Amino acid sequence: MAYSLSLKNRSAATLRDFRLCISGPCQIDLAATAEGGSVGKRLSTFTELLPPDGYALDPGATWTITIHGLSWAFQHWTDGARGAYLAFVDGSTVSVATSPTRRVGGNASPKRGVESYPVPETPPAPISVIPWPNAVSVANLKTAPAGLALAAEGDEAKAAAIAFTALTEALFSVEGIVRPAEEGGLPVYLRLKDGPAAEAYELAFSPASVTVAASGRTGFLYGLVTLGQIWRGAHHFPGAYGFPTEGTIADEPSMGWRGLHLDVARQFYGTAEIGKLLAVLAWNKLNRFHWHLSDDEAWRVEIDAYPALTEIGAWRGHGLAIPPLLGSPPERSGGYYSKAAIREIVAHAKTLGIEIVPEIDVPGHSHALQQAIPDLRDPAEKGSYHSVQGFPDNCLNPAREKTYEVLETIFRELIELFPFRTIHVGADEVPLGAWSGSPEALAKLRAIGGEAMAEAHAHRLNVSSHSPLAEAIDGSSAAVLQALFLERLQKFLASQGCVMGGWEEAAHGNVIDRQRTYLCGWRDMKISAALAGEGYRMVVCPGQAYYLDMAASPDWDEPGASWAGASTPEATYAFDPVAGWSAAQRERLLGVQACIWSEPMQDRAVFDRLVFPRLSAVAETGWTRPERKSWDRFRASAGLMPVLYGYP
């Protein structure tokens, strides 16, 4: 595939001695060639393109460079350069406007913003609720009351009422869902009931009031969320939905783990965005937020012992340790979460029934960490290996004692911030050639498996790969080294009273304690089923259905990634996360999780389009029993669910 970029000089001055710097999601291969110029420095999604020696771009003229050799074929309009600037020999830069990538042979208008899901005149269900409850028996539907006047008994009910009021104000500030009786609010009584599970609730409707019964705070909150959804459907679409005055709803989730993963390393999201996203999760009755705080592209959490992590690792820009990536501007950009901000976010999530799982992705995906703490590398390491995302030598060395000194210090500070005491350590996408040029690592291999193992690994030096999926290292010498790393890290976390999470590659070597860990199955459902059969506790989040950065269709005009294919909202909704699993395998299922990887998310309108309503589709799979699911009923209510940014 050829990729052509044209630069037009709209200024009044002739441009000389410049480099055109672009950044992804596109990756220009290390072996790429070019017509009309040459390829200069490259790091993952950042590439310098050079015009011919002595070239001058006169006012009104256009320079075109055509690249042969992409790391993967473009499939969507967001795949090409999303950020660009000119860099001059004096160190100055000038930002360059970019436009959506166009393909030869015709282009429809690029799609952005949430796709409309109109409420039909006669929906399949008389009330609007997502996820759909277990047992619904309601009658005598009327128009919605002016609002809901909450009357809570006891501390747990009062806390839930306060949380629900704040939730509705955050998501639907002007609707007045919660309002006092003197403003026409219908009395809603929150009453404690022994017996129901923590997230279960019951609603009882009468003409004069509604009663919410639950055993604790989260059950009360979820009951109120259901009631709020019913109210919104009847309030906004009185011809389609009604508000019950008779009957009951009894409900509880079918899965305990109903999560969302958010990558904040590749694109940064401020605390206001995180706060509203947590509100959206609560409205979908999702109870886990997997916070991906580090990756090759950035480090996002304050660590007192190592201030360089945020001083260096949290920022990208021209001339910095980490260049502009994934559409970043030449100016310094990025950010991180202070400890004070994290404590507030964790406390806020707790009021919404959400536990937060932080992820520090190691031993791979550690480029930003290594830029901040360079002595983590073996000083005698030579040559190079590259990750699938194009980062050189990005894995922490399992043979160095310094690695564990630094990580144990970091994790001690992290554990203090996250009381759920579940820490995700990544363990994904370690390249086959990792540490192949490190004398320390080779010596460790030699001690474990002998000279042949060490020599075989040394021969993987300077081998790069850009496979559409991560390299499978299971059974390799790289997996042996990673297993040493993970076994030690897991034992440390267990000593701190923590459960360790990892992506499915954490199972390589079978060294981690299955009772003190869980795995996220992301590549292949057969792999997830097999790992469950081996006794691993699994959270299912396959790229083919639950990676919300994947495009919603294979059409060029849709945004998003494509390595795992495309998944329409209906396909995501219909996906069965445990199809073909045995009863024993199902016993090891913790639940499901949607994953947002942020490569295409610099454009927040793209975020909205990719995430909604597929997030709600995953939420319903995690909550609702399979026999009670209905795409037609879900689709009729999907447009009433909140979105993060609200781009049309």
Side-chain angles (χ1 to χ4, degrees):
M1 174 182 286
Y3 179 37
S4 294
L5 298 102
S6 295
L7 174 69
K8 185 171 184 177
N9 183 0
R10 299 183 183 276
S11 74
T14 298
L15 301 178
R16 294 183 175 87
D17 299 323
F18 64 86
R19 293 162 286 156
L20 174 61
C21 302
I22 64 169
S23 63
C26 58
Q27 286 180 227
I28 309 302
D29 197 81
L30 290 172
T33 60
E35 299 174 35
S38 59
V39 179
K41 294 179 182 178
R42 175 193 173 281
L43 177 69
S44 185
T45 64
F46 173 81
T47 304
E48 291 183 347
L49 301 175
L50 285 63
D53 290 343
Y55 184 81
L57 185 61
D58 293 324
T62 299
W63 169 53
T64 297
I65 183 170
T66 300
I67 301 164
H68 299 276
L70 301 173
S71 296
W72 38 267
F74 292 175
Q75 300 292 326
H76 301 281
W77 69 266
T78 48
D79 284 342
R82 303 296 295 143
Y85 65 94
L86 299 183
F88 296 93
V89 293
D90 63 359
S92 64
T93 62
V94 174
S95 293
V96 174
T98 62
S99 59
T101 305
R102 298 176 61 83
R103 63 175 178 176
V104 175
N107 295 267
S109 297
K111 292 179 179 177
R112 302 168 67 251
V114 177
E115 182 175 355
S116 175
Y117 278 79
V119 174
E121 291 184 6
T122 307
I127 58 174
S128 175
V129 182
I130 292 175
W132 190 249
N134 281 339
V136 178
S137 178
V138 295
N140 196 21
L141 274 66
K142 303 291 186 180
T143 57
L148 307 173
L150 308 184
E153 299 177 359
D155 292 342
E156 293 291 281
K158 290 177 181 177
I162 292 170
F164 179 72
T165 301
L167 180 62
T168 58
E169 290 174 353
L171 294 175
F172 317 108
S173 59
V174 299
E175 294 185 11
I177 297 175
V178 176
R179 65 176 66 199
E182 55 267 30
E183 294 183 13
L186 178 72
V188 177
Y189 300 105
L190 279 65
R191 291 177 177 159
L192 199 65
K193 179 178 180 179
D194 293 333
E199 296 182 309
Y201 65 89
E202 298 172 1
L203 299 180
F205 296 89
S206 75
S209 66
V210 181
T211 298
V212 183
S215 65
R217 183 183 312 184
T218 305
F220 282 124
L221 177 64
Y222 286 161
L224 289 172
V225 168
T226 293
L227 190 60
Q229 290 186 6
I230 292 171
W231 181 89
R232 293 194 75 244
H235 175 75
H236 289 287
F237 296 94
Y241 291 118
F243 191 91
T245 59
E246 295 179 18
T248 60
I249 292 175
D251 198 13
E252 64 179 331
S254 63
M255 297 183 191
W257 188 293
R258 307 177 307 281
L260 174 70
H261 160 284
L262 178 66
D263 159 28
V264 300
R266 293 180 175 91
Q267 307 288 352
F268 183 65
Y269 302 78
T271 55
E273 292 169 287
I274 299 298
K276 185 175 180 183
L277 180 61
L278 291 172
V280 172
L281 299 192
W283 201 256
N284 282 274
K285 301 188 178 77
L286 292 167
N287 65 355
R288 298 288 185 270
F289 178 50
H290 178 162
W291 204 357
H292 190 92
L293 291 166
S294 79
D295 215 296
D296 291 308
E297 291 84 354
W299 180 278
R300 301 297 192 196
V301 55
E302 180 181 27
I303 300 295
D304 293 335
Y306 301 107
L309 285 170
T310 49
E311 291 170 357
I312 295 173
W315 308 97
R316 303 198 288 256
H318 182 72
L320 300 184
I322 304 174
L325 299 167
L326 298 165
S328 298
E331 297 80 17
R332 181 176 180 265
S333 68
Y336 64 92
Y337 306 101
S338 70
K339 286 189 170 183
I342 288 174
R343 290 189 181 99
E344 290 182 5
I345 289 169
V346 169
H348 175 57
K350 189 71 173 178
T351 69
L352 299 176
I354 299 167
E355 298 287 2
I356 298 183
V357 178
E359 179 182 353
I360 300 298
D361 200 348
V362 290
H365 290 280
S366 294
H367 178 78
L369 172 56
Q370 291 172 325
Q371 297 305 300
I373 310 177
D375 58 348
L376 288 172
R377 289 179 55 83
D378 180 348
E381 188 166 359
K382 63 181 180 180
S384 192
Y385 59 88
H386 284 78
S387 72
V388 68
Q389 287 86 12
F391 286 93
D393 313 314
N394 71 330
C395 300
L396 301 183
N397 197 317
R400 284 181 66 73
E401 192 61 28
K402 182 71 172 180
T403 296
Y404 304 102
E405 174 192 324
V406 168
L407 288 182
E408 289 178 11
T409 300
I410 289 171
F411 281 121
R412 282 193 179 95
E413 293 196 28
L414 204 67
I415 291 165
E416 188 271 331
L417 292 172
F418 294 95
F420 188 48
R421 301 187 87 80
T422 301
I423 308 294
H424 201 287
V425 301
D428 61 314
E429 296 189 323
V430 168
L432 193 62
W435 315 296
S436 53
S438 163
E440 293 179 353
L442 294 174
K444 180 68 72 173
L445 281 175
R446 195 172 291 112
I448 296 169
E451 187 66 32
M453 176 180 284
E455 283 302 310
H457 195 58
H459 285 121
R460 295 195 175 103
L461 189 62
N462 297 324
V463 174
S464 64
S465 171
H466 296 292
S467 60
L469 288 174
E471 294 174 90
I473 68 167
D474 197 13
S476 71
S477 47
V480 170
L481 289 168
Q482 178 174 266
L484 288 174
F485 172 88
L486 291 174
E487 183 178 25
R488 181 162 172 177
L489 199 55
Q490 190 264 315
K491 287 180 178 178
F492 166 75
L493 289 172
S495 75
Q496 304 298 305
C498 294
V499 170
M500 186 181 86
W503 301 101
E504 63 191 41
E505 295 97 319
H508 293 339
N510 293 315
V511 296
I512 55 177
D513 182 350
R514 290 166 172 77
Q515 301 308 310
R516 299 292 299 168
T517 59
Y518 78 94
L519 300 179
C520 295
W522 66 276
R523 284 196 292 176
D524 186 307
M525 287 308 299
K526 292 181 180 178
I527 295 175
S528 293
L531 290 171
E534 293 174 14
Y536 290 99
R537 298 187 300 163
M538 300 300 299
V539 171
V540 176
C541 47
Q544 296 80 4
Y546 289 174
Y547 270 31
L548 303 186
D549 55 309
M550 294 298 114
S553 89
D555 296 339
W556 177 266
D557 57 336
E558 288 285 359
S562 55
W563 63 261
S567 183
T568 64
E570 183 174 6
T572 296
Y573 183 86
F575 181 79
D576 182 354
V578 291
W581 287 34
S582 67
Q585 288 169 325
R586 289 174 186 241
E587 288 181 0
R588 305 304 293 170
L589 177 72
L590 294 180
V592 295
Q593 179 171 287
C595 293
I596 300 173
W597 299 97
S598 292
E599 283 90 341
M601 304 299 190
Q602 181 191 35
D603 183 341
R604 297 304 206 246
V606 166
F607 183 106
D608 274 357
R609 183 165 191 86
L610 289 170
V611 173
F612 306 106
R614 292 190 296 183
L615 177 64
S616 296
V618 178
E620 182 150 312
T621 295
W623 182 281
T624 306
R625 295 173 184 170
E627 67 273 14
R628 295 190 62 77
K629 290 179 64 178
S630 162
W631 166 249
D632 288 339
R633 188 258 313 141
F634 174 89
R635 180 178 59 187
S637 292
L640 280 160
M641 297 298 284
V643 301
L644 188 54
Y645 298 104
Y647 286 98

